[in-house]
Amino acid sequence: MRASILIVSKNRKQDLFKTLNILESLIDKSEVEVLVFLDGCTDESESLKNEFIWVKWFISMNSIGASGARHQIYPLANSEILIGLDDDAHPLSIDFLDQIENLFQKSTNVGILAFEEIKGVFQSDQEAIRQAETEKKEYLTSEFIGCGFAIRKSVYNLTNGFPVWIDIYGEESCLSIEVISKGYDILYTNQVKINHRVNKEQRKLNKQNYFRFGKQLKNSTFYFLVYYPFPLINILKLYWHNFKKYALTDWECCKIYFKTLFIVMINIPKILSYRNAIDKTVILKMRGLSRLKF
């Protein structure tokens, strides 16, 4: 088995249908397996099982969150190369598997490959590629974007995997710090390009930014509590920054801010049970690495 492609989906039946159709045209199904986890879907996504019988389906009737779903299916993959895609993202080149294999072979210390993300809904892949970076770029980075990446299974197995104490937004940072703490690198490469078919204007209309604000504030707090040797200063800076920049200027953000503060307080005992403090030298190393653009 050359690679395993893993997708978590929730109520995006049409996006998932398109992604699976594209993947079917790009892969040799005798060499590549595709695993899909349906996370509490209520839009009849389960009916896609009948159209894509070559996919390995995993279904949870109740939503457990993107990170929890990834935590469940990643150990079930059978190949050494695990490729994570969002349900609304697909590779833009037919030789993406060759590119991934070559990059991993070239550097045995790279544990994760972070792909170039091209956001937007385009008429064709050629139009999407025209939005890509024109110069070849490769550099070590401190994290990856969950819509398109690859990780060695042997490296993933050294970590605690995607965290079950995060639902969505921030799980990539948790896996990143654990991979780097094990002595492996995260390499950004724009040789592998992913079209993340996000309609940014529509997401704004759907108030996705408010949803993300609350989740990221909560999960950033949990991240510091779990991984930082002395998390209090970082948590105070986090809340002061978000109070000044968002809560003071937007009433909806203000309500989410204080609601999140309450949720964090009541969950502290549970989160501390997952505490896995990382050596300060690893945190300092990560701060010195390049950051991806989002």
Side-chain angles (χ1 to χ4, degrees), residues 28-82:
D28 180 339
K29 288 176 284 195
S30 67
E31 296 182 336
V32 180
E33 63 176 357
V34 176
L35 291 76
V36 174
F37 190 105
L38 298 180
D39 181 33
C41 294
T42 57
D43 66 345
E44 299 184 347
S45 291
E46 191 174 341
S47 65
L48 294 177
K49 287 173 57 180
N50 300 322
E51 298 187 58
F52 301 97
I53 59 174
W54 49 274
V55 171
K56 295 181 179 180
W57 294 92
F58 302 86
I59 299 169
S60 173
M61 301 309 294
N62 299 314
S63 178
I64 60 174
S67 188
R70 284 170 167 167
H71 184 88
Q72 286 200 15
I73 63 167
Y74 272 64
L76 303 178
N78 292 308
S79 65
E80 169 61 6
I81 296 177
L82 310 181

Side-chain angles (χ1 to χ4, degrees), residues 57 73 93 98 110 118 151 172-173 195 197 201 218 236 258 264 293:
W57 294 92
I73 63 167
S93 57
D98 292 331
V110 170
I118 301 170
I151 182 170
E172 299 94 340
S173 298
N195 178 203
R197 305 185 305 272
E201 294 304 316
K218 172 176 68 72
L236 291 174
F258 285 103
V264 166
K293 60 180 183 180

Side-chain angles (χ1 to χ4, degrees), residues 4-15:
S4 302
I5 298 175
L6 301 106
I7 300 170
V8 170
S9 184
K10 181 177 180 180
N11 292 335
R12 287 185 185 162
K13 181 180 177 181
Q14 293 306 315
D15 285 318

Side-chain angles (χ1 to χ4, degrees), residues 34-292:
V34 176
L35 291 76
V36 174
F37 190 105
L38 298 180
D39 181 33
C41 294
T42 57
D43 66 345
E44 299 184 347
S45 291
E46 191 174 341
S47 65
L48 294 177
K49 287 173 57 180
N50 300 322
E51 298 187 58
F52 301 97
I53 59 174
W54 49 274
V55 171
K56 295 181 179 180
W57 294 92
F58 302 86
I59 299 169
S60 173
M61 301 309 294
N62 299 314
S63 178
I64 60 174
S67 188
R70 284 170 167 167
H71 184 88
Q72 286 200 15
I73 63 167
Y74 272 64
L76 303 178
N78 292 308
S79 65
E80 169 61 6
I81 296 177
L82 310 181
I83 300 170
L85 294 177
D86 276 2
D87 53 11
D88 58 352
H90 67 273
L92 287 171
S93 57
I94 58 173
D95 59 344
F96 73 99
L97 283 175
D98 292 331
Q99 294 169 331
I100 292 168
E101 287 175 331
N102 291 337
L103 286 162
F104 273 137
Q105 289 169 4
K106 191 168 66 175
S107 181
T108 56
N109 205 57
V110 170
I112 299 177
L113 293 172
F115 307 151
E116 180 182 2
E117 176 194 25
I118 301 170
K119 286 184 180 179
V121 179
F122 303 99
Q123 293 297 318
S124 66
D125 284 354
Q126 290 70 32
E127 183 183 347
I129 290 171
R130 285 197 288 271
Q131 312 302 315
E133 297 167 330
T134 54
E135 296 181 10
K136 178 182 175 181
K137 289 184 181 179
E138 283 185 7
Y139 54 81
L140 298 183
T141 181
S142 59
E143 57 189 324
F144 64 95
I145 301 173
C147 71
F149 70 98
I151 182 170
R152 300 180 195 266
K153 185 173 184 179
S154 55
V155 172
Y156 184 84
N157 288 343
L158 293 174
T159 73
N160 292 310
F162 284 102
V164 295
W165 41 270
I166 277 182
D167 41 17
I168 188 171
Y169 300 134
E171 65 268 28
E172 299 94 340
S173 298
C174 300
L175 187 57
S176 295
I177 195 171
E178 293 200 22
V179 165
I180 292 174
S181 74
K182 298 298 181 182
Y184 288 91
D185 296 322
I186 302 173
L187 179 71
Y188 170 78
T189 174
N190 61 3
Q191 288 188 55
V192 186
K193 305 178 190 300
I194 298 293
N195 178 203
H196 192 190
R197 305 185 305 272
V198 176
N199 187 325
K200 291 181 279 188
E201 294 304 316
Q202 187 62 44
R203 284 199 174 184
K204 286 180 182 178
L205 291 175
N206 292 341
K207 299 185 178 179
Q208 284 288 327
N209 288 346
Y210 289 130
F211 178 78
R212 184 184 291 265
F213 171 71
K215 293 292 185 182
Q216 289 185 330
L217 182 60
K218 172 176 68 72
N219 293 338
S220 295
T221 312
F222 291 169
Y223 173 86
F224 289 133
L225 286 171
V226 170
Y227 294 117
Y228 272 48
F230 306 101
L232 184 57
I233 293 176
N234 294 92
I235 292 172
L236 291 174
K237 287 181 178 178
L238 172 73
Y239 278 82
W240 178 238
H241 168 76
N242 281 277
F243 180 74
K244 289 191 302 179
K245 187 171 182 179
Y246 301 108
L248 276 180
T249 59
D250 187 309
W251 174 239
E252 191 64 31
C253 281
C254 185
K255 291 189 290 184
I256 294 170
Y257 178 93
F258 285 103
K259 180 181 178 181
T260 301
L261 189 58
F262 174 74
I263 292 170
V264 166
M265 293 298 291
I266 63 175
N267 279 284
I268 284 177
K270 176 185 174 183
I271 297 303
L272 289 178
S273 70
Y274 296 102
R275 187 158 167 77
N276 178 26
I278 300 296
D279 192 280
K280 189 176 179 180
T281 58
V282 174
I283 296 171
L284 292 174
K285 176 185 176 180
M286 292 181 70
R287 288 176 181 169
L289 293 170
S290 298
R291 297 182 67 84
L292 297 181

